[in-house]
Amino acid sequence: MLRCIEIAKNGLGTTAPNPIVGCVIVHNEKIIGEGFTSPYGGAHAEVNALGSVKDKGLLKEATLYVTLEPCSHYGKTPPCANLIIENQIPEVVIGLSDPHDKVAGDGIKKLKNAGCNVLVGVLQKECREHHKRFLTFHEKKRPYIILKWAETTDGFIAPAKDLRLENPEPFWITNVYSRQFVHKWRSEEQAILVGTKTVLEDNPKLDVRHWTGKAPIRIVLDRNLSIPADYHVLDVSIDTLIVTEEPDLSKQNKDLEYAIINFSSNLASEVCKILHQKSITSLIIEGGGQTLQTFIDANLWDEARVFTGNRSFRNGVKAPLFSGTLIDSKNITSDTLKIYYND
């Protein structure tokens, strides 16, 4: 099962809204096949694992390990449970049952009814951690939310306005290695969110130019549609959703997508509702301070990734206030990265 989790990570950032499943097939204590979920619309992990087995005759004496309950319904692909039954695999070991309302135990039931010996809950804690995006989406009806920011040694995430006026260039708090790390993270999540102020002050691209992989969907909070048309987030090079209060269609770019909500009423919750409707299973929020604090105050976050760079501002925008459990800390040359989970 650990090997299933290990290989499943190869699908990170490509399978959403499908889960990143890993599957390993064993015969006489030897791995004879393995696979992970293909990019969305492609084959599931079980299909890829079965396809990699050279001697299909061994399957009648094999054990199939998989991180998540095999699907039992027709979606983009046929049910994996049917395929396992067709290949007469007698033993199936499952990390987690699937909370998806189209599966929810039906895959396990189908396997058992066909005579398979099914064991559920092996390395369940590790599989839950691995499938945290998919599980949060189906159990909490919202994306898995990662907060990310960089702060100075004296606790600021941006300099004072007078310093910005002197030098309009971006004020990098972290080093180039940490910034590359962030681009790697972007490639792993389905969407990225920023507020209007961050866009107006930094004009970010929100892409993965320092890494390989697919850029996340850009989610931009722009209450009054005040972001100028020549800013990067409106350049239609990446799928972009503008969340606004402005109903005037003449102010909208026909090549972008818009969602209208009430910014004065449970903003974070309303954003989560829209993203769930659009099948977005994971979201990284990169700022600014007000946007991050809004999600923290609403208790709508799962993970916080906080860099501390080796510089100070003495004045400016203070880092968000939050409480969480520290699960990891590491140095990235001159920077420190701390990762917290929401209690």
Side-chain angles (χ1 to χ4, degrees), residues 40-299:
Y40 181 65
H44 289 189
E46 298 93 324
V47 176
N48 289 331
L50 285 162
S52 74
V53 176
K54 292 178 181 177
D55 185 355
K56 299 293 193 286
L58 299 177
L59 293 174
K60 294 180 182 179
E61 300 172 348
T63 300
L64 182 144
Y65 295 82
V66 65
T67 56
L68 192 70
E69 175 183 358
C71 62
S72 55
H73 65 289
Y74 283 87
K76 293 275 185 182
T77 59
C80 292
N82 290 14
L83 190 63
I84 294 168
I85 293 165
E86 287 166 15
N87 281 278
Q88 299 177 40
I89 298 172
E91 305 274 345
V92 180
V93 179
I94 298 168
L96 284 176
S97 56
D98 189 339
H100 195 300
D101 55 11
K102 291 183 179 178
V103 185
D106 283 349
I108 294 168
K109 186 177 178 182
K110 186 176 277 191
L111 291 169
K112 286 182 175 179
N113 288 344
C116 293
N117 183 20
V118 182
L119 178 62
V120 184
V122 172
L123 292 189
Q124 185 167 316
K125 182 181 176 183
E126 291 83 351
C127 287
R128 278 199 70 86
E129 167 65 20
H130 171 72
H131 286 297
K132 58 193 177 185
R133 296 164 179 82
F134 181 75
L135 295 173
T136 298
F137 182 81
H138 287 283
E139 293 172 354
K140 298 185 178 180
K141 309 302 180 189
R142 65 166 176 82
Y144 183 85
I145 297 175
I146 299 165
L147 310 178
K148 170 263 157 183
W149 70 86
E151 60 183 59
T152 59
T153 52
D154 52 354
F156 295 98
I157 63 170
K161 280 188 177 179
D162 56 347
L163 198 57
R164 279 191 177 276
L165 291 173
E166 290 172 22
N167 182 4
E169 293 298 311
F171 279 80
W172 293 113
I173 293 172
T174 54
N175 60 49
V176 293
Y177 306 106
S178 295
R179 299 205 290 272
Q180 186 179 36
F181 222 131
V182 171
H183 284 233
K184 176 181 183 292
W185 290 342
R186 289 177 181 177
S187 75
E188 296 170 351
E189 308 309 330
Q190 201 175 351
I192 183 170
L193 182 145
V194 292
T196 310
K197 193 173 180 183
T198 295
V199 174
L200 293 177
E201 292 185 348
D202 295 341
N203 192 16
K205 294 180 180 179
L206 305 179
D207 59 14
V208 292
R209 61 193 179 277
H210 299 314
W211 198 254
T212 57
K214 185 181 178 183
I217 299 165
R218 297 185 294 210
I219 313 295
V220 180
L221 305 182
D222 188 4
R223 186 172 190 166
N224 302 310
L225 295 184
S226 58
I227 297 171
D230 60 348
Y231 272 52
H232 294 312
V233 294
L234 304 182
D235 65 10
V236 306
S237 64
I238 297 169
D239 288 344
T240 303
L241 171 67
I242 309 297
V243 180
T244 183
E245 248 182 13
E246 176 56 68
D248 187 350
L249 295 177
S250 67
K251 294 183 179 181
Q252 298 180 5
N253 181 332
K254 62 181 176 57
D255 295 318
L256 298 172
E257 191 176 356
Y258 292 80
I260 297 174
I261 65 169
N262 180 357
F263 273 59
S264 302
S265 177
N266 303 316
L267 175 60
S269 179
E270 288 300 307
V271 170
C272 286
K273 198 178 296 181
I274 287 168
L275 299 187
H276 184 264
Q277 290 169 358
K278 295 186 178 300
S279 296
I280 291 175
T281 59
S282 68
L283 175 71
I284 185 165
I285 300 178
E286 290 205 13
Q290 183 181 338
T291 301
L292 288 161
Q293 198 67 56
T294 296
F295 280 82
I296 291 168
D297 292 346
N299 199 31

